[in-house]
């Protein structure tokens, strides 16, 4: 993960894009890319959505949008100094306390 963040930072630096990589701009870009991922599934039935990766062209679209979402999320974390994996682990810990196994469904 850290290597990918460094690679993304180097990519942006080589193009002098760091000036645009503010938390606000990266959060907005992340939202747009997540919306593009949602768009792929927007009118699919649950069954169709479960099979989306069976179609090569649709699978490529999904993978591209997932990559865009992850890239912006990693850049966002880099700018704010967030360890994404540590944040996720802490969130899972909190959710395990908030939602016990026998707590209802």
């Amino acid at each position: 993960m850290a290597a990918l963040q460094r690679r993304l930072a180097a990519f942006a630096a080589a193009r002098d894009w760091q000036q645009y990589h503010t938390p606000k701009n990266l959060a907005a870009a992340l939202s747009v890319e997540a919306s593009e991922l949602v768009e792929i599934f927007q009118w699919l039935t649950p069954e169709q959505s479960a099979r989306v990766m069976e179609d090569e062209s649709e699978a490529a679209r999904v993978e591209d949008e997932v990559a865009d979402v992850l890239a912006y999320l990693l850049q966002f974390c880099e700018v704010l100094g967030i360890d994404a994996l540590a944040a996720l682990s802490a969130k899972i810990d909190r959710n395990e306390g908030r939602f016990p196994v026998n707590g209802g469904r």
Side-chain angles (χ1 to χ4, degrees):
M1 184 96 72
L4 288 172
Q5 283 179 300
R6 286 191 301 275
R7 199 167 157 198
L8 287 165
F11 181 88
R15 290 152 182 83
D16 196 28
W17 289 352
Q18 313 95 311
Q19 61 186 316
Y20 307 111
H21 287 189
T22 64
K24 178 192 82 66
N25 287 350
L26 291 168
L30 176 59
S31 175
V32 169
E33 295 301 338
S35 294
E36 290 179 6
L37 180 60
V38 170
E39 182 181 31
I40 295 168
F41 295 89
Q42 183 175 7
W43 303 114
L44 300 181
T45 66
E47 295 77 19
Q48 290 169 323
S49 70
R51 294 189 314 270
V52 74
M53 299 305 282
E54 294 172 8
D55 179 289
E56 283 186 39
S57 64
E58 286 301 293
R61 286 182 63 208
V62 170
E63 289 175 359
D64 280 350
E65 296 308 334
V66 165
D68 289 342
V69 168
L70 184 55
Y72 278 119
L73 180 59
L74 290 176
Q75 290 172 90
F76 180 83
C77 289
E78 178 75 18
V79 166
L80 291 179
I82 296 170
D83 179 330
L85 295 179
L88 177 57
S89 180
K91 180 66 175 188
I92 292 169
D93 289 344
R94 286 191 302 278
N95 283 345
E96 287 173 339
R98 289 179 56 209
F99 305 105
V101 173
N102 294 324
R105 294 178 194 246

